[in-house]
Amino acid sequence: MIKGIDISTFQEGLDYHALKESGIDFAIIRCGYGKDAGQKDEMFEEHYKGCKEAGIKVGVFHYSYCTSLENAEKEAEACLECIGGKELDLPVFYDIEEKRIIENCDPTEISLKFAERIRQAGYQVGVYASLNWFDNYFNVGMLIDNNIKIWLAQWNDKITANFPVDIWQYTNKYNGMDGDYLVNESILIKEVKQNENIYEL
């Protein structure tokens, strides 16, 4: 198991080297949200630079408000503009949790559309959602068949999903070092799908 965190504008003043020393190997940083690149996360550049300098591997996530396939493509474009061509060690994750999404479109379809554009830019892609969403609103098999990584949010002491998981978010608080960091801790599951390593970190 490899431990990581996800961070955004809500986490300021992080000591990245201390996080690394406490056992954090990767961070998934929010780059932005919605279909407007002007909604770039205010802490993205600082978090990216700090993690890279500390030797923490980096992925990103883009928070979705998508209501149509057209908007999914626009969100992908906004995401790429926020990333600005930076080198990533982990995928670009599409963060899907807003109720308006399931009220207006199919989460699987918009994820595939988002993934198509992100891959054109040379990045791996994944989807972040809760177990409830994956079970009830997604065709998880279709995501996996299209090589979309699964980042599962299930705050529990074990995974109960009946599908392969690449990253498991199991808590909303990281207490691995002095201080109270309001960040989410995730585990990168290295050995899934016939014990093949998903990421070399």
Side-chain angles (χ1 to χ4, degrees):
M1 300 290 189
I2 297 174
K3 287 189 176 182
I5 55 174
D6 66 80
I7 51 180
S8 68
T9 191
F10 301 108
Q11 289 80 43
E12 297 184 13
L14 295 181
D15 185 332
Y16 305 99
H17 288 278
L19 283 170
K20 175 67 174 177
E21 290 172 3
S22 75
I24 293 301
D25 289 304
F26 72 94
I28 304 177
I29 307 168
R30 188 178 74 167
C31 59
Y33 52 94
K35 61 183 180 180
D36 183 353
Q39 297 176 144
K40 180 176 180 176
D41 190 289
E42 294 178 356
M43 289 292 295
F44 175 66
E45 297 292 341
E46 182 174 330
H47 284 328
Y48 179 89
K49 182 174 183 289
C51 286
K52 282 292 189 179
E53 289 179 348
I56 296 172
K57 304 294 185 180
V58 171
V60 304
F61 71 95
H62 189 85
Y63 191 92
S64 177
Y65 292 102
C66 188
T67 56
S68 69
L69 280 176
E70 181 183 4
N71 282 348
E73 189 166 358
K74 289 180 179 178
E75 289 194 334
E77 293 290 351
C79 175
L80 291 171
E81 189 169 340
C82 291
I83 294 170
K86 289 180 173 59
E87 178 182 347
L88 300 178
D89 309 291
L90 295 169
V92 174
F93 287 93
Y94 204 21
D95 183 347
I96 298 182
E97 51 188 288
E98 286 285 325
K99 186 178 179 182
R100 73 180 71 181
I101 296 173
I102 55 173
E103 291 175 340
N104 291 279
C105 54
D106 182 333
T108 302
E109 288 185 357
I110 64 170
S111 297
L112 293 172
K113 177 62 71 173
F114 182 88
E116 179 182 5
R117 180 65 189 95
I118 297 300
R119 285 202 179 108
Q120 288 173 359
Y123 295 110
Q124 295 186 77
V125 66
V127 168
Y128 168 92
S130 68
L131 179 61
N132 176 56
W133 276 61
F134 279 126
D135 278 345
N136 295 297
Y137 306 121
F138 281 93
N139 183 332
V140 179
M142 186 174 291
L143 296 180
I144 293 172
D145 287 346
N146 282 273
N147 198 29
I148 293 175
K149 306 303 181 186
I150 303 298
W151 180 10
L152 171 68
Q154 184 181 18
W155 298 355
N156 196 6
D157 58 358
K158 63 180 179 180
I159 297 174
T160 62
N162 61 359
F163 49 83
V165 172
D166 298 296
I167 298 182
W168 171 31
Q169 183 190 79
Y170 66 89
T171 182
N172 68 334
K173 185 175 290 187
Y174 177 58
N175 292 315
M177 57 180 293
D178 292 337
D180 186 17
Y181 282 85
L182 297 178
V183 297
N184 292 325
E185 186 172 0
S186 298
I187 286 183
L188 182 61
I189 308 299
K190 285 202 74 175
E191 295 188 357
V192 295
K193 300 178 183 176
Q194 299 178 352
N195 294 323
E196 294 178 359
N197 287 340
I198 301 302
Y199 304 112
E200 294 295 335
L201 294 181

